Amino acid sequence: MTSITLSLSTALDAGSVQAQADEKHWRAARERLVAEHLIPQGISDSATLTAMRAVPRHEFVPPDQRPYAYEDTPLPIGNEQTISQPVVVALMTQLVRPRPGMRVLEVGTGSGYQAAVLAETGARVWTIEIFRTLAEAARRRLARLGYGGVTVRHGDGYAGWPDKAPFDAIVVTAGADSIPPALIQQLAPGGRLVMPVGDPLLDQELVLIEKDAGGRVVSRRLLPVRFVPLLRGVR
Ligand SMILES: C[S@@+](CC[C@H](N)C(=O)[O-])C[C@H]1O[C@@H](n2cnc3c(N)ncnc32)[C@H](O)[C@@H]1O
């Protein structure tokens, strides 16, 4: 009896030592990503960098992609969709300046990673995904990882989320020819919206929309990007 108890507790100890070593390994990988890719490419907002250091991207990719989780590259997540490149996630986060208590809408939940980064800043996040399988997997993953401030909905984000509007920030992680009018309407005065606009294969650019206190909208084209297309009709 004593020996069974001892070997069980030894196995448990070995398991927790391994878990601690893994956590240390992933934390160091995130630090390298921040120091070697994000800061050199112009990410400077401290809330964004803190969030990028905290969110475990390896938990948001399929098991066979885990070795590449902290490379600065998009990775496949199923349904011909991708988790975005970390520097792009960080840039979109920095551009909308999420802060504690802000209300943020994301269109294109995918793995849930961008939503987790936004939530890590203390913002409340509502996120919509057009593929049911991706939406359900992201909802389970975010709950398991403790991101209670994120609400996931399966649906077509083209129409935004009228019941929860207005939003202080809107992040669209799929590209279209133009910005859906409903999203501009659902942006609060003083709010910021970021979205890839243009032909997904040719000339997509990241566009930042700012709505002033009087409701006037100013749009700026920032840099060339390549995102998957914004789809229509739930799947
Ligand atoms: C580049 S991936 C997003 C990556 C995601 N933000 C992440 O962190 O993993 C774009 C996502 O937008 C979704 N999508 C495309 N059109 C959509 C729409 N109309 N409404 C909601 N989601 C859409 C795709 O299914 C895909 O998961």
Side-chain angles (χ1 to χ4, degrees):
M1 187 61 187
T2 309
S3 68
I4 292 171
T5 309
L6 275 180
S7 53
L8 188 60
S9 74
T10 307
L12 286 174
D13 285 351
S16 84
V17 167
Q18 185 59 49
Q20 279 173 17
D22 289 350
E23 187 40 48
K24 199 171 160 195
H25 162 80
W26 293 124
R27 210 174 321 119
R30 283 199 290 281
E31 262 322 309
R32 278 197 302 279
L33 173 69
V34 168
E36 294 172 14
H37 295 278
L38 305 189
I39 293 174
Q41 291 181 86
I43 306 303
S44 57
D45 174 58
S46 67
T48 300
L49 290 171
T50 301
M52 295 300 293
R53 284 191 175 99
V55 179
R57 191 170 188 254
H58 62 280
E59 297 280 3
F60 291 81
V61 300
D64 64 331
Q65 299 297 323
R66 278 189 159 205
Y68 319 110
Y70 296 104
E71 291 184 8
D72 191 22
T73 182
L75 294 170
I77 56 170
N79 296 94
E80 298 179 347
Q81 303 304 321
T82 53
I83 178 173
S84 303
Q85 185 181 353
V87 72
V88 174
V89 172
L91 179 62
M92 291 175 104
T93 306
Q94 173 167 281
L95 285 169
V96 298
R97 302 181 188 151
R99 294 293 181 264
M102 268 177 57
R103 300 170 60 82
V104 182
L105 173 68
E106 182 196 23
V107 175
T109 314
S111 67
Y113 177 66
Q114 170 80 73
V117 169
L118 291 163
E120 195 69 44
T121 69
R124 288 268 348 250
V125 182
W126 287 266
T127 179
I128 309 174
E129 169 55 49
I130 204 160
F131 284 97
R132 181 180 296 280
T133 49
L134 291 178
E136 288 176 353
R139 187 181 292 122
R140 282 195 301 274
R141 179 178 298 121
L142 289 160
R144 174 171 62 80
L145 296 172
Y147 288 103
V150 181
T151 307
V152 180
R153 198 183 92 192
H154 169 230
D156 182 346
Y158 192 87
W161 197 323
D163 298 356
K164 300 294 177 188
F167 298 99
D168 303 304
I170 300 180
V171 174
V172 185
T173 66
D177 288 345
S178 58
I179 298 180
L183 299 184
I184 299 178
Q185 277 161 17
Q186 290 171 31
L187 192 61
R192 295 159 75 86
L193 178 157
V194 66
M195 174 173 172
V197 177
D199 184 323
L201 296 178
L202 295 173
D203 59 351
Q204 231 179 30
E205 283 180 303
L206 200 60
V207 171
L208 176 68
I209 296 268
E210 292 174 275
K211 193 183 259 190
D212 71 16
R216 280 179 299 271
V217 164
V218 177
S219 161
R220 271 191 288 156
R221 291 173 171 268
L222 300 179
L223 73 161
V225 283
R226 183 162 291 189
F227 275 80
V228 293
L230 189 72
L231 305 170
R232 301 303 317 278
V234 291
R235 283 124 209 268

